[in-house]
Amino acid sequence: MVIGCIGCGNMGGALLAGLLRSAPQGSRFCAYTRTPERLAQLEAQGVRRLQNALEVAKEADLLLLCVKPAQVAAVLREIAEALTEDKVLLSVAAGISLEVLARGSGGRCCLVRCMPDTPALVGKGVFAFAFSASCSRERAETILALFRNLGLCFEMPESQFAAFSALIGAGPAYVFAMMQALCQAGVTLGFSHESSRKMVQALVEGCAVMAEKSPEHLARLKDNVCSPHGLTIDGVNVLDRRGFSGILIDAVLAANARGLAMEKEA
Ligand SMILES: NC(=O)c1ccc[n+]([C@@H]2O[C@H](COP(=O)([O-])OP(=O)(O)OC[C@H]3O[C@@H](n4cnc5c(N)ncnc54)[C@H](OP(=O)(O)O)[C@@H]3O)[C@@H](O)[C@H]2O)c1
């Protein structure tokens, strides 16, 4: 399979780098991005730099479209002639629907809408996928198998993409905000900024692994840390009194409302 990428910035570069590491042997890679210097590192790893987007679209079996949403229409105009039935076009552009992709591409090739989160940049992504009707099940499975090497993949109807974006796409902002607050508390209690951050990072990673490995409900995992008359329950009581869970739920619902409004505006 030839995997091509148009727009190799943060997300395109990260996806290409991940697929370079994990795609089946014999896969070949090509790319075009507006600023050629951004491709230098990937070129050194075997990605062939082509002169324009159309050349990549002609060459690639799987074409990753990783430009900003506002640039999608122009790029599609440039490459539409190459997007024949045998090709797969996968777009990560936020808010760009399969219908918009079909209109811009001529609707012959298999279309994939994909929404990654930022941890995809370090190979620990969570991805949402929706496939066009022109995509066979076999092709969809091939794409999912490729991306499972880069993170956790969920297939869902496009109608759930706003919810996915509010919970998972925006998720790193909630988690980093919580981590930052914990670090600040650590510094307040006398730890250095550096050790606070290291400890909090390890805490969050450890809890994520524990949640993954344990069959117990998250509430039970929380209760297990709260000994009667201990110190944790006093901390947890403050979270409950101040509405920590409610704040997080409201944050996700607010982001979802904004996502739905943005879809209407698009
Ligand atoms: N980053 C994220 O966390 C994230 C999460 C979910 C979805 N996405 C989606 O991923 C897409 C890319 O986002 P990003 O954060 O990776 O942005 P980015 O770092 O700005 O990357 C976009 C790249 O596309 C290049 N480009 C622009 N116009 C082009 C054209 N006509 N032909 C070829 N290359 C062109 C840009 O070139 P220059 O270097 O010259 O500007 C840039 O390198 C967006 O659609 C976004 O919605 C991103």
Side-chain angles (χ1 to χ4, degrees):
M1 183 192 286
V2 179
I3 299 173
C5 181
I6 299 173
C8 305
N10 292 319
M11 194 47 79
L15 293 181
L16 257 188
L19 291 171
L20 265 167
R21 281 193 301 271
S22 61
Q25 269 209 333
S27 304
R28 287 181 291 127
F29 296 85
C30 60
Y32 168 72
T33 199
R34 192 166 56 187
T35 308
E37 296 76 50
R38 291 194 84 160
L39 259 182
Q41 214 178 337
L42 290 163
E43 265 187 288
Q45 294 172 61
V47 174
R48 204 149 64 87
R49 178 159 65 86
L50 299 180
Q51 292 310 307
N52 55 54
L54 182 58
E55 277 187 18
V56 178
K58 283 182 174 162
E59 190 103 345
D61 302 305
L62 167 61
L63 181 61
L64 311 176
L65 184 56
C66 300
V67 296
K68 292 278 190 198
Q71 293 148 346
V72 166
V75 174
L76 285 179
R77 271 196 298 279
E78 208 180 321
I79 64 174
E81 66 179 82
L83 298 177
T84 45
E85 300 85 60
D86 51 324
K87 310 259 181 192
V88 178
L89 174 70
L90 181 150
S91 158
V92 296
I96 302 289
S97 66
L98 288 173
E99 195 191 327
V100 169
L101 293 174
R103 250 188 277 130
S105 65
R108 290 164 296 164
C109 66
C110 159
L111 297 168
V112 187
R113 180 175 173 187
C114 168
M115 178 48 59
D117 64 350
T118 48
L121 303 176
V122 293
K124 288 273 181 195
V126 184
F127 297 88
F129 283 90
F131 298 90
S132 65
S134 53
C135 230
S136 67
R137 196 59 237 164
E138 193 188 344
R139 273 197 165 166
E141 289 301 337
T142 306
I143 305 297
L144 289 169
L146 265 181
F147 276 81
R148 279 191 194 112
N149 295 315
L150 310 188
L152 207 53
C153 296
F154 294 89
E155 194 175 345
M156 62 186 71
E158 278 194 285
S159 55
Q160 287 186 334
F161 268 56
F164 178 85
S165 301
L167 182 65
I168 303 299
Y174 314 139
V175 175
F176 290 136
M178 186 191 75
M179 289 173 74
Q180 192 190 354
L182 288 174
C183 288
Q184 199 169 320
V187 172
T188 310
L189 292 173
F191 294 109
S192 70
H193 287 273
E194 198 193 354
S195 30
S196 270
R197 180 165 166 164
K198 277 196 180 140
M199 290 190 291
V200 169
Q201 279 167 197
L203 167 73
V204 172
E205 190 183 351
C207 289
V209 173
M210 234 178 125
E212 193 182 345
K213 291 198 186 301
S214 170
E216 296 202 283
H217 194 284
L218 292 174
R220 165 69 67 188
L221 292 179
K222 188 182 77 173
D223 280 356
N224 288 348
V225 193
C226 298
S227 323
H229 214 257
L231 61 97
T232 310
I233 190 66
D234 279 10
V236 168
N237 284 342
V238 173
L239 291 183
D240 284 353
R241 275 191 217 108
R242 307 267 167 98
F244 181 69
S245 304
I247 289 171
L248 277 179
I249 292 164
D250 283 353
V252 175
L253 298 186
N256 183 54
R258 176 73 187 122
L260 291 174
M262 284 164 74
E263 275 182 6
K264 279 198 188 123
E265 288 162 17

